[in-house]
Amino acid sequence: MRALWSIAALAALPMLAQPVSAQTPPDPIVRTEGLRQISSHVHIIPDNSVPRVPNVGFVIGERGILVIDTGMGPRNGAAVAEVAKKLGGSRALYLVTTHFHPEHDLGAQAFPENTTLIRSNDQVKDIAEFGLLLAQMFARRSAIDAELLKDVEFRKANVTFDREYELDLGGVKVQLMAMGANHTRGDTAMWVESDRVLFSGDVAMRPQPAFASPYSNVRHWLSSLDRLEALKPAISVPSHGPVGDGSMFASGYRTYLVEVRDRTTTEKKAGRSADQAVEAVTAAMVDRFPDKRRLAGAIKAGYAEAQ
């Protein structure tokens, strides 16, 4: 049953990866010319809200540079690695990804051999369980997706960790945090305390949350928001969409998830089925949260855990 559920969850992901758009989106290419500095030690390449493109981060210390997310496929990965080389010079090169989805992870193979790739153990489990299934689905979307994802493979981690890992880049420390099952089981956030910059991944963004894993849990996602909000970031860089601040937590995902939880729990206590709950809660929320697929995913997760 877990395997069937996993396949069904992944099958919906090409539609869940970004909000639905009526227009044909630009090609999913990381535009390196957009590189900009957002704090003393942090640069980003913004995604410009282009589907299947992440916000790419660079944290620079005296001895090392950390890259956060790679873009989709070796072409994007090579471009991001070249930016890292220009910013970091001879510094040691480190790489971490916010989660294992193609646009975040599958450019890693293009990074230099001496790159130190760090993964949470939960992210390793996601790769082992789901493999390249989502990449294969993405590749069927268009010619450019197929080109970018040709012959991709996951790069093996040099370092793994359970809950937290501190990376010292020389004068700048980055806390890597395994966030557990939110968007994916292997969600990873990065906290640059000296600059008060948080890379929140898909755990906190402006679009509706996407419950993209059979392990996703509303209760846990709310606790993850608590954990990130307690850091009091001055700058929050999500996986996708515009950069924000700490208000992204209280006014965005938390409000949405609490409403889904409360309405779904009420439906379940009234004896309604999961499908009936999806219909009722969607009707109550869709005017404000128009992505019905994301709503359905959240409602189903909330229904499964409601008492």
Side-chain angles (χ1 to χ4, degrees):
M1 289 300 293
R2 175 68 72 184
L4 291 173
W5 190 11
S6 301
I7 291 169
L10 284 175
L13 266 175
M15 296 176 288
L16 289 172
Q18 292 287 339
V20 175
S21 174
Q23 299 179 341
T24 301
D27 290 343
I29 303 299
V30 176
R31 302 297 178 185
T32 59
E33 65 273 16
L35 178 72
R36 62 186 177 92
Q37 188 167 1
I38 61 171
S39 71
S40 296
H41 304 98
V42 180
H43 294 68
I44 64 167
I45 303 173
D47 72 335
N48 299 316
S49 296
V50 174
R52 304 187 306 290
V53 176
N55 290 312
V56 177
F58 305 86
V59 186
I60 308 169
E62 296 171 1
R63 299 189 303 272
I65 177 171
L66 172 67
V67 180
I68 300 167
D69 283 351
T70 67
M72 189 164 68
R75 175 180 165 185
N76 279 312
V80 170
E82 184 62 27
V83 172
K85 181 179 178 181
K86 291 178 181 178
L87 289 174
S90 61
R91 293 173 176 84
L93 178 59
Y94 299 88
L95 173 63
V96 66
T97 65
T98 55
H99 54 294
F100 81 108
H101 288 168
E103 70 270 37
H104 303 277
D105 200 300
L106 285 177
Q109 68 193 84
F111 274 62
E113 186 177 347
N114 63 351
T115 304
T116 299
L117 174 59
I118 307 171
R119 294 190 188 278
S120 74
N121 285 320
D122 283 337
Q123 194 177 89
V124 173
K125 291 176 184 176
D126 272 343
I127 292 169
E129 180 172 354
F130 301 113
L132 293 170
L133 180 59
L134 183 56
Q136 292 162 0
M137 292 177 180
F138 273 35
R140 292 194 290 269
R141 292 172 62 96
S142 69
I144 183 63
D145 286 83
E147 175 192 332
L148 291 172
L149 292 168
K150 184 179 179 181
D151 298 326
V152 293
E153 58 186 25
F154 285 104
R155 184 167 179 154
K156 185 177 180 180
N158 303 98
V159 177
T160 60
F161 67 98
D162 284 324
R163 184 171 170 80
E164 293 187 354
Y165 182 87
E166 185 175 84
L167 177 62
D168 189 346
L169 298 172
V172 183
K173 294 181 179 180
V174 184
Q175 196 75 20
L176 280 57
M177 300 175 286
M179 301 304 299
N182 305 287
H183 176 61
T184 69
R185 175 172 47 185
D187 288 341
T188 305
M190 277 59 67
W191 171 235
V192 188
E193 184 174 10
S194 61
D195 294 39
R196 307 209 66 75
V197 174
L198 173 69
F199 287 84
S200 60
D202 275 42
V203 179
M205 303 191 300
R206 298 208 181 278
Q208 287 174 238
F211 281 72
S213 167
Y215 302 98
S216 295
N217 181 289
V218 174
R219 186 181 304 107
H220 179 80
W221 204 323
L222 286 167
S223 70
S224 294
L225 294 178
D226 290 340
R227 184 179 174 191
L228 295 180
E229 189 173 17
L231 297 170
K232 300 186 183 305
I235 301 172
S236 184
V237 184
S239 277
H240 303 283
V243 171
D245 55 25
S247 65
M248 188 178 296
F249 303 103
S251 62
Y253 276 22
R254 188 187 307 284
T255 300
Y256 175 87
L257 292 171
V258 167
E259 183 171 354
V260 167
R261 179 198 64 192
D262 292 348
R263 288 185 179 276
T264 303
T265 299
T266 298
E267 292 297 315
K268 188 170 184 178
K269 286 182 176 179
R272 297 183 178 90
S273 69
D275 288 342
Q276 289 172 326
V278 168
E279 183 177 357
V281 178
T282 298
M285 297 181 65
V286 72
D287 287 346
R288 290 167 291 131
F289 304 101
D291 193 322
K292 291 183 178 181
R293 297 186 186 98
R294 293 190 177 199
L295 265 172
I299 296 162
K300 289 175 181 177
Y303 190 92
E305 66 193 78
Q307 300 298 315

